[in-house]
Amino acid sequence: MNKHWLRIAIGVAIASTVAPSWALPTANSVGSTGIDALRLHQAPYNLTGKKIAIGQVEVGRPAQFGWDKPGERLKFKLEQIFYQDGSPKADTNVEQHATMVASVMISRDKKYPGVAPDARLYASAVGVPKDTGQAEECLSTQHIATQNGGDVRAINLSFGEPLDRDPRPDAKLDGNALYTQCLDWSARVHNVTYLVAGNQGKGGISIPTDNYNGVNVAYSTTRQGIYQKLDFANLSETPIGTAKIIADREVNVGNRRSIGLVAPGGGLRLYNLAGKVTTVSGTSFAAPHATGTVALLQEFGDRQLRTKNRLPVEIRPQWSLDSRRHEVMKAVLLNSAEKIQDAGDGLRLGMTRTILAKNNRDWTESEAFQDRQVPLDYQIGAGQLNAFRAYQQFSSGQHSGVLPIPAIGWDYRSLATGQYRDYPLDRPLAENSWVAITLSWDRLVELQDANNNRQYDLGETFRDRGLNQLELYLLPANENRLDRSLWSSVSSVDSVQHIFHKVRDPGKYKIRVYFRRAINLPQQSYALAWWTAPAKK
């Protein structure tokens, strides 16, 4: 077997190990013990991803009914399949791993349903690594991003490139591998939310987990019957001591975080190509939980857009096409993630469970909680995905800050260098309540378009224009001095700022987004999401 093919196969195997039969779980990753998406399938929500296009890119592809022989046994229907940017051959490049990843998103099986069973899934196979590389991966990804008339809302990447296959001299995870740059360029140009299996370190599938504009997803396993504990197999840990010597080249350069979210990935029951139920584990199966959740949210968003203009002006929802922005999806998913269990009084924002890192600590014991320059935890990012909470966050609507904002909401806006925008909360915050706020924006990557056809072609490259510096503050309502903020998130290296902090002094507060420094363009778009607990009247 070719050395490079073996290397990538090991990387994928990390994300899809088969569990022994005695370890069959009782938890349902899509139900209330997991991301709580099944509730959204039912009335009154009736969200199943209908008419929403999502994508999948991997080494191989899922089987297609009516095209591939194994497709006759599958519990889902694909919208369209490809080999790179062209038509596939029947029964060629069909892969069990890709088929099971697809089932997490769109399975229509009653016993093992997918997150978004009615979404339109477009899938492309890159081909075996001995014959392909990052250029073909970029070509395949671009092709999926332009399907459905250029309206694909999210793309799942449950594969990656080991760093030792990157052709750059002394390659590092600095965001500038070709495929990583391709992802960040495509997220901005095609407006796609990218969800990436999050393995880094010790031989992980590292590229493109050093992206800025997508979301990397680690995986949780069950404890006491619910998904709440980061699995030991995740490799997104701080490289210190001996681990640093082994893994320092395969984690992000500097202090930039890799993991954005955790999602269920341990002990999942999925159908394989033979139509048999198999138990699998890995980040490969965590990422599609987030991809499917985007489909559910986007179905709701499109429903709001359709109904908005039919209603009288005074009762129209606070909604616009900004709801389709990938920055908004990223901010909503991260801000609604679960960290610490609520006691039933709503002060911890109604979170249903405490999420534990590998050493059994929770988010409040992390460096991210204690250091304003660290927005996300190394192991669990912003916490664990919860689809129903993401719906609550998203459905609260868009609020610009011109008028005082409600307790929960989001916005999409832009600022010029040196400017700030305030979002005053309309009600005082409760004593000892918690506040979650997330700010998301893009790194600017441009295509070096040799033939000026506005699309990536084999042999072309990208240019990294860098990341503008935005900051996030929670201030008393009448305070303008930044050094008097209750808390802030001021990382100079991340494309996310995140606050999760306790309000010990009740009263009125405001959120401030500040464009501190321009590295590329003097105007920067951003998405903001917030969730607070106001004092009871």
Side-chain angles (χ1 to χ4, degrees), residues 341-393:
Q341 186 171 5
D342 192 270
D345 53 15
L347 296 180
R348 294 179 178 179
L349 312 180
M351 296 181 183
T352 68
R353 70 201 70 187
T354 296
I355 306 304
L356 300 175
K358 286 184 288 187
N359 56 0
N360 291 316
R361 61 166 177 78
D362 65 38
W363 204 91
T364 63
E365 300 171 285
S366 71
E367 185 182 8
F369 179 66
Q370 301 164 5
D371 190 339
R372 295 172 189 249
Q373 297 188 52
V374 179
L376 301 173
D377 180 66
Y378 263 113
Q379 294 186 30
I380 60 176
Q384 179 163 278
L385 172 72
N386 183 302
F388 186 75
R389 286 177 54 80
Y391 164 81
Q392 291 177 296
Q393 176 80 72

Side-chain angles (χ1 to χ4, degrees), residues 156-210:
N156 192 86
L157 303 177
S158 286
F159 82 111
E161 282 284 321
L163 196 58
D164 64 4
R165 279 192 21 117
D166 190 278
R168 296 174 297 161
D170 192 29
K172 295 181 175 65
L173 290 183
D174 57 3
N176 288 317
L178 176 70
Y179 191 41
T180 302
Q181 290 184 336
C182 175
L183 184 158
D184 282 351
W185 166 78
S186 177
R188 179 178 61 85
V189 171
H190 300 122
N191 189 28
V192 171
T193 305
Y194 280 94
L195 291 311
V196 183
N199 294 70
Q200 282 194 359
K202 304 177 187 176
I205 48 175
S206 307
I207 299 168
T209 59
D210 55 336

Side-chain angles (χ1 to χ4, degrees), residues 266-285:
L268 301 183
R269 305 296 302 281
L270 302 173
Y271 285 98
N272 61 22
L273 282 170
K276 305 293 185 182
V277 176
T278 303
T279 304
V280 295
S281 295
T283 56
S284 286
F285 308 108

Side-chain angles (χ1 to χ4, degrees), residues 73-76 96 99-100 103 107 109 111-112 269-278:
R73 297 185 286 269
L74 298 182
K75 307 293 183 177
F76 59 78
Q96 182 145 278
T99 300
M100 292 189 291
S103 73
S107 170
D109 184 69
K111 190 172 183 180
Y112 303 110
R269 305 296 302 281
L270 302 173
Y271 285 98
N272 61 22
L273 282 170
K276 305 293 185 182
V277 176
T278 303

Side-chain angles (χ1 to χ4, degrees), residues 27-49:
N28 184 329
S29 69
V30 183
S32 60
T33 55
I35 67 169
D36 206 11
L38 291 182
R39 191 188 327 189
L40 294 175
H41 294 180
Q42 310 301 318
Y45 313 106
N46 300 312
L47 298 173
T48 57

Side-chain angles (χ1 to χ4, degrees), residues 423-471:
Y423 295 80
L425 288 155
D426 63 358
R427 293 170 59 187
L429 299 183
E431 185 178 4
N432 292 323
S433 68
W434 291 75
V435 174
I437 316 170
T438 303
L439 178 68
S440 170
W441 70 103
D442 281 348
R443 171 175 72 145
L444 180 58
V445 176
E446 295 176 338
L447 174 65
Q448 303 286 77
D449 193 3
N451 57 6
N452 295 314
N453 65 351
R454 298 184 179 181
Q455 66 181 28
Y456 173 77
D457 298 295
L458 294 177
E460 290 181 336
T461 58
F462 297 92
R463 178 190 177 196
D464 174 20
R465 294 285 306 278
L467 179 70
N468 284 339
Q469 186 177 353
L470 274 64
E471 296 176 346

Side-chain angles (χ1 to χ4, degrees), residues 70 110 194 255 305 368:
K110 291 183 179 180
Y194 280 94
N255 203 37
L305 290 168

